[in-house]
Amino acid sequence: MKILKILLTLFILLCSFNITAEAKKQKNIPDYRIEYLNLDWWQKYNDSVLTDYITTAFKNNQDLKIASLNVKQSEQVIKMAFAGQLPQIGFQGDVFRDFTSSTVKFGDVIIPEYNQSNFFLPLTMSYEVDIWGENYLRTKSFKKQHEIVKQNERASYISLTSAVASQYFNLIKFDRLIKDQEELVKLQTEIARLEEIKYKNGLCPVTELMDEKQLLTQLTEELNVYIDKRDIVARQLGVLTGLREKDLSQMARTDYSKLTLLPLPEAINAEVIQYRPDYLKAEEYIEKVGVDAKVAIRDFLPKFILYGQAGFSAYNLGNIFGNHTFKSLFGFMPSIDLFTGGAKMARLKWTKLELEKAQQMYEKTILTSIQEVNDSLSSAKTREKNYNESIKRYNLENEKYTLADKKFNIGAKSNLDLMKDMEKLIVADKDKVNSRINYLISTVNIYKAIGGKDFTIINDNL
């Protein structure tokens, strides 16, 4: 009895020590999710407002919180699986009373009327001896699943931060486009007024006046579309960052010209796909299904269970802890399923087919990943070229406007024609703005395609 009390005390202390140690360990672990944000990368765009939005999204976005909760749930599943490798100890009391019944016979001893109480208060222990490593492999399978869930979380962070950056850049773009469009509407309003004066003085046909008024309506419609798109982008950015109560029209942003344009590499090594979450998930899933196949094979083998009880048994509750009431037993129970209707064989075949499917998914992931990396780089290069061409076109329009202004100053060009030249310059500026922001967004797409890594130095790290 003393030995039993000592063992129970040691068991309780050991459990308490493990819980305390685990709590301290969890407390000292840094938040790995900060690394998923990759703020060092986003700072390359030279915009503190952008990094503030990404940090805000990290704190508020529900998708990120759900992904983190999935990881925590997966950790608990591992603990549940690991518990299957440990002995199970519990209390299972038995209190009953036999009432007066028919004659009870114990060999030659006959009891004509038999009734009594029985109190049995034992600790029950059972432990499946993991000779074949089946329980260990089950835990290993859940650990692989945990890694898959962590890659899902990382993918959520890459997708979310990329979406925040893209919507933020679009918001900046529409700010500048609206500013240019308002200037165009203002100029065209004045042009239409001057054309109407010319028409009243008989200096132009009515069709010319109608064309200018028609152009004014088109420019006004385009302005309304820009304003609507800006509001939509602002609301989408508000959802991504979780800014519910803030006036979205007053959301902070930087002027588009201050954003840094990142240089593009000539090519990206195909090995960068090893950083992508979907590639890592495909690898982990193959390993997980491989482990599941081993578990399915070992499930055909016999199992060996150790069991035992230790407690107090008495026929009188007041004497339950008295002398000679301690009772214990220990046993060893081998077991094997002789017939399960083919369920185990079906499970084994299903797992092997799942392994083959996982391998095909892995091959497809490789091809898709390489395609997305190459497509994103090709698209970025095209947008870079278009941006450079838009700069050339804007510079030419600017030179033409400078010449037109000189003609106007010497009286060789009318004010009406000068305003039309100014409109052409503003249109060229709109094209430049579009091309610049599209180029910025294309660099974000490369970042996303290579698994949230810095593509400016990625080839050096391979």
Side-chain angles (χ1 to χ4, degrees):
M1 183 174 175
K2 292 183 179 179
I3 295 177
L4 178 62
K5 291 180 179 180
I6 293 173
L7 290 176
L8 288 174
T9 303
L10 290 175
F11 178 76
I12 294 172
L13 291 175
L14 181 62
C15 291
S16 301
F17 175 78
N18 287 336
I19 293 174
T20 304
E22 183 67 20
K24 291 182 179 179
K25 182 179 178 182
Q26 293 293 333
K27 186 176 180 180
N28 295 329
I29 293 177
D31 193 346
Y32 64 89
R33 298 174 299 169
I34 298 297
E35 183 180 351
Y36 291 165
L37 289 181
N38 202 358
L39 292 177
D40 291 339
W41 157 259
W42 297 114
Q43 289 171 356
K44 288 180 177 289
Y45 289 101
N46 193 31
D47 188 355
S48 59
V49 178
L50 172 61
T51 54
D52 287 342
Y53 277 133
I54 290 176
T55 304
T56 303
F58 167 70
K59 297 177 181 178
N60 298 335
N61 186 266
Q62 287 76 26
D63 289 332
L64 297 187
K65 292 180 179 180
I66 292 172
S68 297
L69 290 173
N70 288 337
V71 172
K72 292 180 180 179
Q73 285 182 320
S74 179
E75 291 172 351
Q76 300 309 312
V77 171
I78 293 176
K79 292 180 180 179
M80 288 188 289
F82 179 71
Q85 297 179 238
L86 303 176
Q88 305 297 311
I89 301 176
F91 174 79
Q92 186 176 357
D94 188 10
V95 178
F96 64 92
R97 178 174 177 81
D98 283 336
F99 294 97
T100 301
S101 59
S102 60
T103 300
V104 177
K105 185 176 182 180
F106 293 94
D108 294 333
V109 179
I110 299 176
I111 304 176
E113 293 184 359
Y114 174 78
N115 64 85
Q116 70 175 8
S117 299
N118 196 324
F119 300 91
F120 185 34
L121 307 177
L123 289 177
T124 302
M125 182 276 292
S126 65
Y127 173 61
E128 181 179 346
V129 183
D130 197 17
I131 295 178
W132 320 117
E134 182 178 351
N135 293 332
Y136 166 77
L137 290 175
R138 283 199 180 95
T139 304
K140 185 176 180 180
S141 175
F142 283 114
K143 288 182 179 179
K144 293 295 180 182
Q145 182 63 36
H146 176 65
E147 294 300 322
I148 292 174
V149 174
K150 287 186 68 175
Q151 290 303 322
N152 285 335
E153 181 188 33
R154 179 168 164 260
S156 297
Y157 273 78
I158 295 173
S159 178
L160 187 278
T161 53
S162 299
V164 169
S166 297
Q167 296 293 48
Y168 174 70
F169 291 153
N170 279 325
L171 187 60
I172 292 175
K173 178 181 72 173
F174 285 118
D175 279 344
R176 184 54 181 262
L177 290 179
I178 289 172
K179 181 179 179 181
D180 284 346
Q181 196 68 20
E182 288 175 341
E183 188 65 26
L184 280 175
V185 171
K186 181 179 178 181
L187 284 171
Q188 189 59 31
T189 301
E190 181 64 17
I191 290 173
R193 187 185 70 82
L194 295 176
E195 286 288 349
E196 188 168 3
I197 294 174
K198 285 177 61 178
Y199 170 71
K200 289 180 179 180
N201 293 329
L203 299 177
C204 71
V206 67
T207 55
E208 184 175 326
L209 174 61
M210 294 174 67
D211 288 341
E212 296 300 339
K213 288 185 176 181
Q214 184 180 19
L215 179 58
L216 176 60
T217 60
Q218 292 174 352
L219 294 176
T220 304
E221 288 176 2
E222 191 173 355
L223 174 60
N224 294 334
V225 171
Y226 288 156
I227 293 175
D228 180 57
K229 288 185 177 180
R230 182 178 66 178
D231 291 342
I232 292 174
V233 169
R235 286 192 291 269
Q236 291 174 342
L237 183 59
V239 171
L240 292 173
T241 56
L243 299 175
R244 301 178 183 178
E245 302 177 356
K246 189 173 181 179
D247 185 1
L248 298 180
S249 64
Q250 302 298 322
M251 295 182 73
R253 53 260 210 185
T254 303
D255 185 82
Y256 91 105
S257 60
K258 296 181 180 179
L259 295 170
T260 300
L261 295 177
L262 303 180
L264 300 178
E266 288 298 323
I268 296 180
N269 195 316
E271 293 182 6
V272 299
I273 65 172
Q274 66 182 300
Y275 300 116
R276 287 172 57 106
D278 56 348
Y279 175 83
L280 296 174
K281 282 167 53 181
E283 279 192 335
E284 294 289 348
Y285 189 63
I286 287 179
E287 295 180 7
K288 177 188 181 303
V289 178
V291 172
D292 291 340
K294 293 179 180 179
V295 172
I297 293 174
R298 285 164 171 75
D299 200 29
F300 288 92
L301 301 174
K303 295 177 174 57
F304 303 92
I305 299 175
L306 295 175
Y307 66 92
Q309 284 185 329
F312 301 92
S313 178
Y315 298 108
N316 188 321
L317 186 60
N319 194 37
I320 189 68
F321 298 112
N323 296 329
H324 307 293
T325 61
F326 180 75
K327 182 179 180 180
S328 63
L329 61 89
F330 180 80
F332 178 72
M333 182 174 66
S335 66
I336 186 170
D337 296 324
L338 299 178
F339 178 73
T340 58
K344 291 187 176 182
M345 181 58 68
R347 180 172 179 269
L348 176 60
K349 290 181 178 179
W350 182 91
T351 307
K352 289 183 176 180
L353 291 172
E354 186 68 15
L355 179 59
E356 184 178 350
K357 186 171 71 173
Q359 291 170 342
Q360 295 300 322
M361 292 168 58
Y362 175 72
E363 295 295 332
K364 180 182 177 181
T365 300
I366 292 176
L367 295 176
T368 303
S369 299
I370 294 175
Q371 175 199 342
E372 290 181 1
V373 171
N374 291 333
D375 287 350
S376 62
L377 179 59
S378 176
S379 176
K381 287 184 176 180
T382 300
R383 293 184 176 185
E384 181 185 31
K385 292 177 183 178
N386 290 342
Y387 173 61
N388 293 332
E389 293 299 322
S390 68
I391 292 177
K392 294 178 183 178
R393 186 167 62 255
Y394 175 81
N395 291 337
L396 289 173
E397 286 292 345
N398 191 38
E399 291 178 9
K400 289 169 63 178
Y401 178 76
T402 302
L403 293 174
D405 186 55
K406 290 180 179 179
K407 288 183 179 181
F408 172 74
N409 291 330
I410 62 176
K413 197 176 187 71
S414 67
N415 184 38
L416 183 61
D417 291 335
L418 182 64
M419 285 192 291
K420 290 183 179 180
D421 290 332
M422 183 63 182
E423 283 187 333
K424 294 178 182 179
L425 180 61
I426 294 175
V427 170
D429 184 69
K430 285 174 56 182
D431 293 338
K432 184 179 69 170
V433 172
N434 261 316
S435 298
R436 183 181 180 89
I437 297 300
N438 289 339
Y439 176 34
L440 283 167
I441 293 176
S442 68
T443 59
V444 175
N445 293 336
I446 297 177
Y447 168 82
K448 184 178 179 181
I450 64 175
K453 296 295 181 179
D454 186 351
F455 62 79
T456 61
I457 58 173
I458 192 68
N459 291 329
D460 301 333
N461 297 331
L462 295 175

